[in-house]
Amino acid sequence: MSKQRAKLVIGNWKMHGRLAENAALLQAVAQGAAGLPAEVGVGVCVPSPYLAQTQSLLEGGRVLWGVQDVSAFTHGAYTGEVAAPMVVDFGASLSIVGHSERRAYHRESAELVAVKTQRALEAGLTPVVCVGETLEEREAGSTEQVVGDQLDAVLVKLSEAEAARIVVAYEPVWAIGTGQSATSDQAQAVHAFLRSRLTAKGAAVADVPLLYGGSVKPDNAEELFRQPDIDGGLIGGASLKAQDFLAICKAAAATSVVS
Ligand code: 13P
């Protein structure tokens, strides 16, 4: 008997892209994704100024789009912020929240990430909540403590029904942009731990997609995605190359059915 497992692959472009190269990338991704099986979800999180362009090129296709952060406020005198309802105006359905780069460089606390998650949910976006430990924290043996606290800070603010609408991404800080991915065993161990925390929140939350991020490439994606608690990936550098991103989506397709 074979069991269907849905997979989800989301690109995080970070602060990359210009109009001309975006057009080529989005068109190639839309075209390549069209041939993927239905159980593979694909999305791209672009810099906010390119939302209109992204909408115009992806609308009507199967690739979802969104942003990499949202404000903790819905509107008001918050210079430079982008509110979740503004993003929804451009057909977006995703927002990353709590990426380690925002936690580190913008001093975002676990509580702020939780509020941003609430704002995203209220606006109808799917928040992709990122958690992950630094190398020092891993070496000190506190990985579960760190990612557990980061996840709990979000879960405590949500009802079971709200929590069932999030996506969680485990991104070990030491694996991001370094070319040194977590091994599939390391990632699976943390995912199993996160799954148990989600399950403790309620039965409806047990199956939220748990993505792995951190140096996912075409040559390691399949091995990672084969792990029982890894439901796909959040892809940085490799999402900027259509061929690599689509190869990772194909790895998701190859692992979406287990016998
Ligand atoms: P890389 O895939 O470039 O390591 O980035 C991962 C990431 O931070 C995605 O959010």
Side-chain angles (χ1 to χ4, degrees):
M1 262 235 317
S2 71
K3 187 172 157 236
Q4 294 286 327
R5 294 177 68 212
K7 294 279 177 184
L8 179 60
V9 178
I10 298 176
N12 173 9
W13 287 10
K14 308 194 179 183
M15 199 170 71
H16 294 288
R18 298 297 297 274
L19 279 177
E21 65 201 60
N22 296 348
L25 177 55
L26 289 166
Q27 277 157 354
V29 168
Q31 210 169 20
L36 292 167
E39 58 273 13
V40 179
V42 182
V44 289
C45 290
V46 304
S48 302
Y50 299 118
L51 272 175
Q53 179 192 28
T54 302
Q55 179 180 28
S56 74
L57 291 172
L58 295 184
E59 199 146 55
R62 62 174 296 169
V63 180
L64 306 174
W65 62 94
V67 289
Q68 301 161 17
D69 181 40
V70 286
S71 175
F73 304 96
T74 53
H75 64 278
Y78 301 103
T79 302
E81 293 277 280
V82 175
M86 297 174 178
V87 170
V88 173
D89 275 346
F90 293 91
S93 57
L94 303 168
S95 177
I96 296 170
V97 290
H99 193 280
S100 60
E101 288 152 14
R102 300 227 38 108
R103 292 181 196 258
Y105 307 147
H106 300 270
R107 308 224 185 294
E108 292 196 3
S109 66
E111 290 68 35
L112 181 68
V113 172
V115 174
K116 289 183 171 202
T117 304
Q118 290 178 300
R119 292 294 93 77
L121 284 168
E122 281 162 17
L125 295 170
T126 297
V128 181
V129 180
C130 298
V131 300
E133 83 288 3
T134 63
L135 188 58
E136 295 69 38
E137 289 164 341
R138 171 162 284 265
E139 285 173 349
S142 46
T143 297
E144 292 191 352
Q145 180 78 48
V146 169
V147 300
D149 286 353
Q150 289 172 340
L151 182 61
D152 284 352
V154 171
L155 293 180
V156 76
K157 285 217 157 61
L158 306 181
S159 68
E160 184 178 344
E162 287 167 336
R165 292 172 45 213
I166 71 173
V167 168
V168 174
Y170 168 56
E171 298 206 314
V173 177
W174 47 272
I176 295 175
T178 59
Q180 188 203 339
S181 166
T183 66
S184 53
D185 285 350
Q186 285 173 321
Q188 166 57 26
V190 179
H191 279 233
F193 169 75
L194 292 169
R195 181 80 68 202
S196 70
R197 287 297 247 262
L198 291 165
T199 306
K201 177 74 183 173
V205 192
D207 289 328
V208 308
L210 261 176
L211 311 184
Y212 168 78
S215 298
V216 179
K217 306 287 176 204
D219 62 1
N220 62 13
E222 192 166 326
E223 164 71 13
L224 286 160
F225 296 168
R226 278 204 191 286
Q227 304 309 308
D229 290 298
I230 300 184
D231 301 317
L234 184 57
I235 318 301
S239 73
L240 300 171
K241 294 184 197 137
Q243 212 184 351
D244 286 1
F245 187 61
L246 289 167
I248 292 168
C249 293
K250 286 199 183 111
T255 56
S256 64
V257 178
V258 284
S259 42

